[in-house]
Amino acid sequence: MGPVSDTIFNLCKEFNLMGHKVTIVDSIARHNRYKNSKNIRIIQIGTPLVFETKTKTIKIFKYINYWLKEFIYILKLKYILNTSKFDVIHVHETLTAYFVKLLIRKKNIVYTSHTSIWGSSFYNERVQGKIYSFFLKSIGAHEKKIIQSFPLTIGLGNYLKKNIDKANIKIIPNGINIGNKLWDKKEARKCIGMDSNIFLITIIARISP
């Protein structure tokens, strides 16, 4: 969760500079993930390892453990924070969003959906195993209801909007339209001092400081 936490922290700093009071709630980190900021409140919540052991755990126990940890996480959150004081709660994890809605019951919840593989072609092509398939289908059913009931959802793919009716979903588009020819390959190589005939592979996995 390091890079994700860094990105969220940077967003929170921007909101804070705009005059908003911001609180980040996260899992307990083994290493410090956040740069010090006096104006942003950071709360880290630990959850017990209910069914986890050093030996290989049965898959069904892993899924039960996943649900229980999220449930306990939100119960602790509800105890630590007076959520009635917050105007907006932003959630970016499916089960967290589900339990926030179930236990906190706040209206202004913004949800970012970036794990909805149940709605993409990836789910149909790659998911194997009956237990895992059932688990993802149940998550998908809950996520659909969550998105339909929340005032705003941010999606990372058009497939999400196509799969869910009657929901306010804003899609983050691709940064580059790969269908357009943006530059001449040989000219681009000349600009950076490379042989114009060289075979070049470039991968941009993340643009982050």
Side-chain angles (χ1 to χ4, degrees), residues 134-148:
F134 173 78
F135 179 70
L136 283 181
K137 281 181 180 177
S138 63
I139 289 287
H142 287 305
E143 189 171 19
K144 281 182 181 180
K145 289 180 181 178
I146 287 168
I147 291 171
Q148 286 172 334

Side-chain angles (χ1 to χ4, degrees), residues 178-195:
I178 57 175
N180 294 339
K181 187 176 181 181
L182 302 177
W183 52 75
D184 181 78
K185 291 179 182 178
K186 288 188 177 182
E187 286 297 320
R189 284 167 171 74
K190 282 181 183 178
C191 288
I192 56 175
M194 278 190 172
D195 185 335

Side-chain angles (χ1 to χ4, degrees), residues 14-21:
E14 293 297 324
F15 279 115
N16 186 249
L17 289 170
M18 292 166 64
H20 300 291
K21 291 183 179 180

